[in-house]
Amino acid sequence: ARAAASLLRRASLPPARAAPASGHYTPTSRCFGERPLSTRLALLRYYSTWGHVATLAEEIKKGADSVPGVEVTIWRVPETLPEGVLAKMHAAPGRQDHPVITAGQLAEADGVLFGTPTRFGMMAAQMKAFFDSTGGLWKEQSLAGKPAGVFFATATQGGGQESTALTAVTQLAHHGMLFVPVGGTHGAGMLIMDEVKGGSAYGAGTFAGADGSRVPTGAELALAEHQGRYFAGIAKKLKSV
């Protein structure tokens, strides 16, 4: 799945202040902005080879859209593989209705949900490459104080549903972002045992199958929609602080 993510746009924020000479960053109200008339949430930053993470992103958007005063957009990160390689992988074409994000656009966000498939228990190289391009934002701590979460897809059970999320948190920590997991807030939907189900307390998830033929189930999509609604609510509260 080509890396995905979700982003909360900031509305009318004051200019960023430079970090103190000591090199230590002191968070200010600019992290959340002044009380807005609405919160612009852009479901940003996903990567999806076969379309599984893109499907979760759409469902997360549905949940976020249900929160009054929240505007949602979906973005995808740049592809790094040549077209010839993608063709041999039978990769799904990039969603043209989901524009490609640039690192600088992250600074406009109030919060971000990042979606990625798993590669050997970690995020896909395309998503990591995008994080690697955010050094300028890290230098200015432009993302510090913003809420962030993750969602993911793995080929099989035990393929990294938890490790992908855990290792992604290191990226958020260095940027000073506030990790917002789903926890147990989905209630009984978190406790389903009579079917194979992706997702966890860390975020929504799905299984693609070894050949990418499996599609997200109703239970997995329900968790994704819940995550969008839950995250948007948290981000909206922080925006009003």
Side-chain angles (χ1 to χ4, degrees):
R2 272 172 227 190
S6 138
L7 153 85
L8 211 60
R9 284 189 174 278
R10 300 187 345 201
S12 305
L13 300 190
R17 284 200 322 197
S22 64
H24 297 294
Y25 175 74
T26 303
T28 68
S29 62
R30 76 177 182 84
C31 294
F32 304 111
E34 299 174 357
R35 292 179 182 272
L37 296 177
S38 65
T39 299
R40 300 181 64 192
L41 171 65
L43 253 173
L44 153 75
R45 289 220 19 176
Y46 82 84
Y47 175 79
S48 191
T49 304
W50 288 318
H52 296 78
V53 176
T55 298
L56 292 181
E58 290 283 3
E59 208 66 20
I60 289 173
K61 180 181 185 299
K62 184 186 300 182
D65 279 336
S66 70
V67 178
V70 172
E71 180 183 336
V72 188
T73 308
I74 300 179
W75 302 76
R76 55 193 169 96
V77 303
E79 177 59 80
T80 60
L81 292 176
E83 288 297 327
V85 174
L86 293 171
K88 291 179 180 179
M89 296 172 63
H90 305 290
R95 292 282 300 272
Q96 297 306 308
D97 55 328
H98 298 167
V100 176
I101 190 76
T102 63
Q105 288 171 299
L106 276 183
E108 303 171 5
D110 290 311
V112 189
L113 278 172
F114 300 96
T116 178
T118 297
R119 300 291 185 264
F120 301 111
M122 301 175 65
M123 67 175 63
Q126 289 85 344
M127 181 62 81
K128 183 58 168 65
F130 186 86
F131 270 112
D132 289 348
S133 72
T134 61
L137 300 179
W138 167 80
K139 181 180 179 181
E140 299 296 330
Q141 285 295 283
S142 300
L143 305 181
K146 299 175 185 292
V150 296
F151 56 105
F152 35 81
T154 64
T156 61
Q157 297 182 74
Q161 289 274 316
E162 292 195 346
S163 64
T164 301
L166 283 169
T167 52
V169 169
T170 63
Q171 312 294 315
L172 310 182
H174 282 274
H175 277 292
M177 303 186 83
L178 310 177
F179 180 49
V180 181
V182 173
T185 59
H186 191 38
M190 306 291 295
L191 307 175
I192 296 173
M193 294 291 291
D194 57 356
E195 64 177 82
V196 174
K197 183 182 74 69
S200 68
Y202 299 100
T206 188
F207 297 110
D211 61 356
S213 62
R214 184 181 182 276
V215 297
T217 67
E220 292 167 345
L221 295 176
L223 177 56
E225 181 178 0
H226 169 77
Q227 183 177 13
R229 182 167 51 252
Y230 179 73
F231 183 84
I234 294 293
K236 184 178 180 180
K237 289 178 181 178
L238 290 176
K239 180 73 173 178
S240 67
V241 172

